[in-house]
């Protein structure tokens, strides 16, 4: 059960406070119908109904809300020029990161591209560390040297800037999983733009040939930067692009659908049948990055429509409220707590000092003894130690 | 500013070293303590954070090419592409996001003007883009490919080095992809970090069969790009991305060519030769001005323009005149193109190939004839300018 410790404690406190306020009985769990996944080379797919417990529901809600608010805060900090460089936000895609995490174990592995803040959080890092890394401070998860695209955590291999390059890496991690024999799988994510990179097909071939426990996941948010999928791909059925690799197409805006599909895919891989491909159909509200307004290649109406009809947080909230798993007030309280957590983290990220200049040359090589690196001219030297 | 100050400091010491004293001390004694100072001597200046700094210095308005218009670098590139597509009916432009105008607006308006058959987007696949471009070029059409950032050119490295560069040679001149030009934004921009700042010219300099060109300004860019497109060899044209908006100049509207493999002496001088390309040219121009003003050092500034094949004659002639060479580039030091330049200059000096004003060369011993005092001074000058390089080539 992969859960953020802070989120759990907050939920407990929240529940305790609510018991005092009103004695209202919530249902323990509820059964929901979820969309059937399109299948490729599979006889059966994930189940079409699932059970959501109150505890899980509150947890997912809190996590998704945290990711959402964290991304919006990053947007704010970027516009204030406290975050510089490149910043790719994933608001709208929360169901993907939280749903995937819900379907795997913390001991499983995950690697993705540069839209990675959500995954960094779900894989266990705190918002403080993430925001401090965005602002380039010491307290950041990569000591302030990685930035938005280079965040790493235990069993989370980043955070990769070059499009598509992380997919063969993911296949390699899957090989290690198989080799170590601990029943672990590797989730290897890429986007709809990256799906046309040659190295991805090389990875498909190797994974299928050697039956690696690799779940290839295409996060299809309909636009590769500014290019819509129809204009980039001869086949937009990304779940079929693995050809000989079975695939499923999942509604990426519904966290329960993602969770069930992930559980199904993980079970498939763990049984030794080889790799499987998942296409998550999702959407991002922001542009490709902070330098992209996001409206020159799509209409505001389209963005609005997705926000009003398919917003993942809204969908979960409606389900929970309508099935008496939680009350509106309760969820609002979670919102308030999350907001505070993000504010505190932003405060920290803004106030934390930058890494010292002496560390500029660290970690180039693994070296023993340390050596010197020349700076911009021959009188500036940095020590490089690891 | 600190980088500029560092250069000026170097020149100060060079000047102070003058003709005698310190030079003799250097002879056979390794590095002088007084000459090359350690980082600690630099103190606060080195430790202060240094942000990318330069001031773009426009060239005077060209008069020989007809009417000119104020353009920045990306507009100059658009103008060159416009001229190419107008002149050459087989020319096509393709790459990621070029249709709407490109992420740096280098292809704005071209699709509307020339049609979607001639200006089109490719999917996200650099290896595919270049391979595809080679294919177009082999049939004789003019292919102008864009790689969105030079940092992403590496998936296409195999296609460039193994396919494009060697096509003519391996087919015995039966086929070639000379009408291929690859354009790519290049160099640091201040906030690019690992993957939007690289200067990979040195990787390609190691590959015979292709040409590598880096302009320093809009006027240079248009002329050089048109030359690359018309050149009968595959060319890589790196555009300094920080100059896209920052560099504004008067640029001729009509097409014109600037020859490849010709370096330009931007400023004549007598004490030291400074060589750079792209954005760094403006940095060293500023250094040259500072050196003249504060130290009375007269610098000869050369813009290399074409990295491969590079203009050995112009650089060597300049070094013979001044006796000192400094090469500056953004790319990493080891294996950077400066090492090629400095070792070639060394070689030609020792071989005596470069004509030289008053000294005679003893080809057998590879030493300069003339007084031993003069010998010592000239050799030590070369030692100082290139540090450890001189130990690798026999002088």
């Amino acid at each position: 059960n992969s859960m953020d410790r802070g989120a759990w404690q907050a939920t407990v406190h929240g529940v305790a406070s609510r018991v005092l306020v009103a004695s209202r009985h919530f249902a323990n769990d509820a059964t929901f119908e979820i969309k059937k996944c399109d299948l490729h080379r599979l006889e059966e797919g994930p189940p079409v109904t699932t059970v959501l417990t109150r505890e899980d529901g509150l947890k997912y809600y809190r996590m998704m809300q945290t990711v959402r608010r964290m991304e919006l805060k990053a947007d704010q900090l970027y516009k204030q020029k406290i975050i510089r460089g490149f910043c790719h936000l994933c608001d709208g895609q929360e169901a993907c990161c939280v749903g995937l995490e819900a379907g795997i174990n913390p001991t499983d592995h995950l690697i993705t591209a540069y839209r990675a803040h959500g995954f960094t959080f779900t894989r266990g890092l705190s918002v403080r560390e993430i925001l401090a890394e965005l602002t380039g401070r010491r307290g950041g998860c990569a000591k302030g040297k990685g930035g938005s695209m280079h965040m790493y955590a235990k069993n989370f291999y980043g955070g990769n800037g070059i499009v598509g390059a992380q997919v063969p890496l993911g296949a390699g991690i899957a090989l290690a999983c198989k080799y170590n024999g601990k029943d672990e799988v590797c989730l290897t994510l890429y986007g709809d733009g990256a799906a046309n990179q040659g190295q991805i097909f090389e990875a498909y071939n190797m994974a299928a040939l050697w039956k690696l426990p690799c779940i290839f996941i295409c996060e299809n948010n309909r636009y590769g930067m500014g290019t819509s999928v129809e204009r980039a791909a001869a086949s937009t059925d990304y779940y079929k692009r693995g050809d000989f690799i079975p695939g499923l197409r999942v509604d990426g805006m519904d966290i329960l659908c993602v969770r069930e599909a992930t559980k199904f895919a993980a079970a498939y891989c763990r049984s030794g049948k080889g790799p499987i491909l998942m296409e998550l159909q999702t959407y991002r509200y922001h542009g490709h990055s902070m330098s992209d307004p996001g409206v020159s290649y799509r209409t505001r109406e389209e963005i609005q429509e997705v926000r009003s009809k398919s917003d993942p947080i809204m969908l979960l909230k409606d389900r929970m409220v309508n099935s008496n798993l939680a009350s509106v007030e309760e969820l609002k309280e979670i919102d308030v707590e999350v907001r505070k957590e993000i504010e505190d983290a932003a405060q920290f990220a803004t106030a934390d000092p930058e890494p010292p200049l002496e560390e500029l040359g660290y970690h180039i090589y693994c070296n023993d003894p340390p050596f010197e690196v020349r700076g911009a001219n021959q009188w500036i030297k940095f020590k490089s130690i690891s | 500013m600190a980088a500029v100050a560092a250069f000026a400091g170097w020149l100060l010491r060079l000047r102070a070293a003058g003709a005698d004293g310190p030079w003799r001390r250097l002879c056979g004694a390794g590095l002088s303590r007084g000459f090359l100072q350690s980082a600690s001597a630099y103190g606060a200046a080195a430790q202060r954070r240094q942000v990318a700094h330069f001031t773009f210095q426009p060239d005077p308005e060209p008069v020989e090419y007809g009417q000119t218009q104020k353009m920045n670098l990306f507009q100059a590139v658009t103008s060159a592409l416009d001229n190419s597509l107008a002149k050459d009916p087989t020319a096509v432009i393709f790459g990621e996001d070029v249709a709407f105008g490109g992420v740096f607006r280098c292809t704005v308006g071209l699709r509307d003007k020339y049609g979607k058959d001639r200006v089109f987007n490719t999917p996200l696949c650099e290896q595919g883009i270049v391979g595809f471009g080679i294919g177009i070029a082999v049939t004789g059409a003019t292919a102008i490919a864009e790689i969105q950032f030079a940092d992403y050119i590496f998936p296409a490295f195999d296609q460039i080095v193994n396919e494009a560069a060697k096509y003519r040679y391996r087919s015995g001149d039966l086929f070639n992809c000379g009408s291929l030009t690859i354009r790519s934004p290049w160099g640091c921009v201040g906030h690019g970090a690992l993957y939007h700042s690289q200067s990979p010219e040195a990787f390609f300099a190691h590959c015979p069969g292709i040409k590598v060109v880096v302009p320093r300004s809009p006027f240079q860019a248009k002329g050089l790009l048109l030359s690359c497109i018309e050149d009968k060899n595959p060319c890589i044209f790196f555009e300094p991305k920080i100059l896209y908006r920052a560099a504004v100049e008067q640029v001729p509207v009509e097409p014109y060519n600037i020859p490849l493999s010709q370096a330009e002496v931007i400023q004549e001088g007598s004490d030291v030769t400074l060589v750079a390309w792209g954005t760094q040219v403006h940095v060293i121009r500023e250094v040259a001005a500072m050196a003249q003003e504060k130290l009375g050092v007269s610098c000869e500034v050369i813009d290399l323009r074409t990295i491969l094949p590079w203009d050995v004659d112009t650089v060597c002639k300049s070094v013979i005149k001044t006796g000192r060479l400094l090469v500056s580039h953004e790319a990493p030091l080891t294996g950077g193109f400066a090492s090629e330049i400095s070792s070639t200059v060394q070689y030609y000096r020792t071989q005596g190939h470069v004509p030289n004003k008053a000294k005679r060369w003893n080809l057998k011993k590879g030493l300069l004839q003339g007084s031993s005092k003069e010998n010592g001074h000239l050799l030590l000058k070369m030692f100082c300018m290139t540090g450890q390089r001189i130990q690798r080539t026999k002088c």
Side-chain angles (χ1 to χ4, degrees):
Chain A
N1 203 333
S2 57
M3 172 180 272
D4 180 32
R5 189 148 182 75
W8 168 238
Q9 285 176 338
T11 310
V12 168
H13 292 142
V15 169
S17 68
R18 263 169 256 124
V19 165
L20 293 172
V21 168
S23 59
R24 178 172 162 179
H25 297 285
F26 292 110
N28 233 3
D29 55 51
T31 309
F32 296 104
E33 278 184 20
I34 51 177
K35 211 160 109 169
K36 187 171 182 330
C37 296
D38 294 323
L39 303 175
H40 170 68
R41 289 189 192 264
L42 283 169
E43 295 297 317
E44 314 176 334
V48 292
T49 60
T50 179
V51 173
L52 175 68
T53 65
R54 179 177 140 78
E55 180 188 317
D56 279 346
L58 289 173
K59 180 180 77 178
Y60 300 155
Y61 182 84
R62 178 180 287 274
M63 284 174 92
M64 289 206 285
Q65 192 67 271
T66 308
V67 173
R68 171 70 59 94
R69 295 247 64 92
M70 179 176 73
E71 295 297 78
L72 294 178
K73 178 54 76 175
D75 173 287
Q76 202 181 16
L77 291 172
Y78 193 92
K79 288 179 175 143
Q80 293 174 316
K81 300 209 178 200
I82 298 173
I83 297 179
R84 314 296 305 273
F86 296 99
C87 192
H88 307 86
L89 301 176
C90 66
D91 51 318
Q93 299 183 201
E94 295 87 1
C96 294
C97 48
V98 179
L100 285 172
E101 191 61 34
I104 56 171
N105 307 324
T107 48
D108 288 321
H109 307 263
L110 196 149
I111 185 170
T112 184
Y114 46 79
R115 206 173 296 282
H117 306 161
F119 291 101
T120 317
F121 175 72
T122 55
R123 284 262 91 191
L125 289 191
S126 67
V127 182
R128 266 165 77 98
E129 286 173 291
I130 297 172
L131 286 181
E133 186 58 40
L134 286 175
T135 54
R137 309 298 165 102
R138 280 174 219 232
C141 49
K143 305 186 178 68
K145 287 171 75 173
S148 164
M149 290 194 269
H150 306 114
M151 297 189 183
Y152 301 84
K154 186 165 193 319
N155 293 341
F156 173 55
Y157 304 82
N160 294 282
I162 300 292
V163 171
Q166 75 279 6
V167 180
L169 264 70
I173 298 167
L175 178 78
C177 290
K178 179 166 177 169
Y179 192 89
N180 287 331
K182 291 199 213 134
D183 229 13
E184 293 164 4
V185 296
C186 179
L187 273 59
T188 303
L189 285 91
Y190 55 94
D192 48 273
N196 301 313
Q197 275 274 324
Q199 47 194 327
I200 295 192
F201 295 89
E202 293 182 16
Y204 287 162
N205 184 49
M206 287 191 282
L209 196 60
W210 301 323
K211 290 201 168 16
L212 304 180
C214 187
I215 306 177
F216 293 102
I217 301 172
C218 178
E219 260 182 305
N220 177 4
N221 58 21
R222 303 198 222 163
Y223 297 95
M225 209 159 78
T227 306
S228 70
V229 292
E230 295 81 34
R231 292 190 292 121
S235 161
T236 55
D237 291 331
Y238 293 101
Y239 69 111
K240 290 187 185 167
R241 295 276 284 269
D243 189 17
F244 36 80
I245 297 181
L248 41 140
R249 179 154 57 188
V250 180
D251 179 1
M253 302 305 264
D254 177 0
I255 186 178
L256 298 177
C257 203
V258 176
R259 182 182 75 168
E260 287 313 307
T262 312
K263 282 186 181 162
F264 173 85
Y268 181 93
C269 282
R270 280 188 235 276
S271 67
K273 296 201 192 108
I276 191 170
L277 214 161
M278 265 169 60
E279 178 190 338
L280 301 177
Q281 290 187 305
T282 181
Y283 199 83
R284 53 165 162 82
Y285 299 144
H286 269 86
H288 163 74
S289 70
M290 287 305 298
S291 25
D292 171 22
V295 287
S296 48
Y297 46 87
R298 55 185 189 175
T299 59
R300 285 187 207 274
E301 287 77 39
E302 180 187 295
I303 306 173
Q304 245 335 94
E305 198 190 331
V306 176
R307 246 193 228 276
S308 54
K309 296 220 184 93
S310 327
D311 183 275
I313 299 178
M314 180 194 78
L315 287 179
L316 179 65
K317 180 170 164 186
D318 289 347
R319 273 189 165 140
M320 287 180 67
V321 167
N322 294 341
S323 326
N324 200 26
L325 286 175
S327 70
V328 177
E329 294 77 32
E330 187 176 14
L331 297 179
K332 275 212 171 68
E333 270 183 44
I334 296 183
D335 288 349
V336 169
E337 282 160 19
V338 163
R339 234 178 258 262
K340 176 152 193 332
E341 185 190 343
I342 305 292
E343 265 318 310
D344 291 343
Q347 267 295 89
F348 170 72
T350 317
D352 203 32
E354 286 178 349
L357 197 60
E358 290 81 57
E359 290 185 17
L360 190 65
Y362 285 10
H363 307 299
I364 296 175
Y365 282 107
C366 182
N367 43 21
D368 164 18
F371 69 98
E372 277 195 331
V373 180
R374 182 197 192 255
N377 63 57
Q378 58 253 52
W379 298 283
I380 299 177
K381 295 259 197 295
F382 297 105
K383 236 185 168 55
S384 182
I385 65 175
S386 244
Chain B
M1 216 49 198
V4 170
F7 281 133
W10 185 86
L11 287 166
L12 171 64
R13 276 185 289 284
L14 191 56
R15 175 79 173 161
D20 277 42
W23 297 88
R24 282 196 185 283
R25 256 182 268 130
L26 279 167
C27 185
L31 297 175
S32 153
R33 278 184 300 115
F35 183 68
L36 293 172
Q37 293 181 354
S38 64
S40 56
Y42 240 75
Q47 291 301 301
R48 228 180 297 128
R49 183 159 41 144
Q50 300 169 21
V51 291
H53 161 83
F54 70 98
T55 310
F56 172 72
Q57 307 196 17
D59 287 321
E61 181 177 347
V63 291
E64 61 268 47
Y65 299 113
Q67 192 202 355
T68 65
Q69 196 184 322
K70 192 153 134 187
M71 293 188 207
N72 59 28
L73 188 71
F74 70 73
Q75 288 165 336
V77 169
T78 315
S79 175
L81 295 173
D82 192 356
N83 291 148
S84 284
L85 265 68
K87 244 187 342 187
D88 179 352
T90 70
V92 288
I93 299 176
F94 52 94
E96 291 158 27
D97 301 305
V98 297
F100 85 93
V103 287
F104 289 109
R105 309 181 63 68
C106 293
T107 48
V108 170
L110 296 179
R111 185 175 167 102
D112 291 335
K113 194 166 171 186
Y114 296 101
K116 58 183 173 58
D117 290 337
R118 298 184 69 190
V119 180
F120 54 91
N121 283 338
T122 59
L124 217 167
C125 43
E126 287 75 22
Q127 184 172 28
I129 291 170
V130 174
F132 178 77
I134 294 170
I136 296 180
V138 165
T139 65
T142 301
I144 307 168
E146 176 181 300
I147 298 293
Q148 200 159 78
F149 282 88
D151 315 53
Y152 308 157
I153 205 166
F154 300 110
F157 198 75
D158 171 69
Q159 286 287 341
I160 294 169
V161 167
N162 280 333
E163 303 302 322
K166 298 168 168 65
Y167 221 120
R168 190 188 290 276
Y169 186 91
R170 68 178 195 246
S171 67
D173 204 17
L174 199 59
F175 287 99
N176 70 80
C177 55
S179 51
L180 170 67
T181 304
I182 301 168
R183 293 181 33 245
S184 193
W186 167 102
C188 82
V189 69
H191 55 269
L194 296 166
Y195 303 119
H196 295 76
S197 313
Q198 290 178 41
S199 311
E201 71 274 8
F203 291 112
F204 295 100
H206 195 53
C207 175
I210 52 170
K211 296 198 174 180
V212 180
V213 178
V214 186
R216 70 168 186 275
S217 72
F219 171 73
Q220 295 288 319
K222 178 168 167 172
L224 289 168
L225 181 56
L226 283 166
S227 296
C228 283
I229 293 171
E230 286 160 25
D231 193 279
K232 303 232 189 303
N233 296 290
C235 296
I236 304 179
F237 187 75
F238 287 126
E239 301 160 2
K241 60 176 87 68
I242 200 173
L243 296 180
Y244 275 137
R245 286 184 200 277
V248 184
E249 253 184 352
Q250 294 291 123
V251 179
V253 176
E254 292 300 307
Y256 60 97
N257 290 85
I258 293 179
L260 299 184
S261 295
Q262 269 190 36
E264 186 181 348
V265 180
I266 298 176
Q267 183 183 306
E268 302 234 357
S270 55
D271 291 329
V272 58
T273 303
L274 308 178
V275 177
W277 49 90
T279 318
Q280 274 297 98
V281 174
H282 303 290
V283 174
I284 64 169
R285 272 171 117 164
E286 215 173 309
V287 168
M290 276 177 75
Q292 181 67 63
E293 183 197 315
K294 297 194 194 262
L295 314 168
V297 171
S298 159
C299 304
E300 180 143 304
V301 177
I302 298 183
D303 175 8
L304 198 63
R305 300 201 293 199
T306 303
I307 305 297
L308 180 77
W310 64 284
D311 188 351
V312 180
D313 283 347
T314 304
V315 177
C316 282
K317 282 198 182 97
S318 174
V319 177
I320 285 302
K321 185 170 71 165
T322 63
R324 301 175 183 87
L325 172 67
L326 183 145
V327 186
S328 177
H329 59 61
E330 285 175 26
L333 175 70
T334 306
F337 200 63
S339 53
E340 163 68 22
I341 296 175
S342 64
S343 51
T344 305
V345 168
Q346 299 265 24
Y347 172 76
Y348 282 119
R349 286 205 69 168
T350 60
Q351 294 300 304
H353 291 305
V354 178
N356 142 9
K357 288 187 291 197
K359 321 266 180 289
R360 265 178 302 145
W361 297 83
N362 181 330
L363 289 174
K364 254 201 237 159
K365 289 190 188 166
L367 287 175
L368 295 169
Q369 251 176 356
S371 73
S372 58
K373 182 170 167 183
E374 276 172 297
N375 279 350
H377 290 166
L378 281 164
L379 285 172
L380 291 167
K381 277 183 194 173
M382 290 164 67
F383 177 94
C384 295
M385 77 194 182
T386 52
Q388 66 272 35
R389 301 255 175 269
I390 202 166
Q391 284 152 5
R392 289 197 222 143
T393 54
K394 286 191 74 136
C395 287

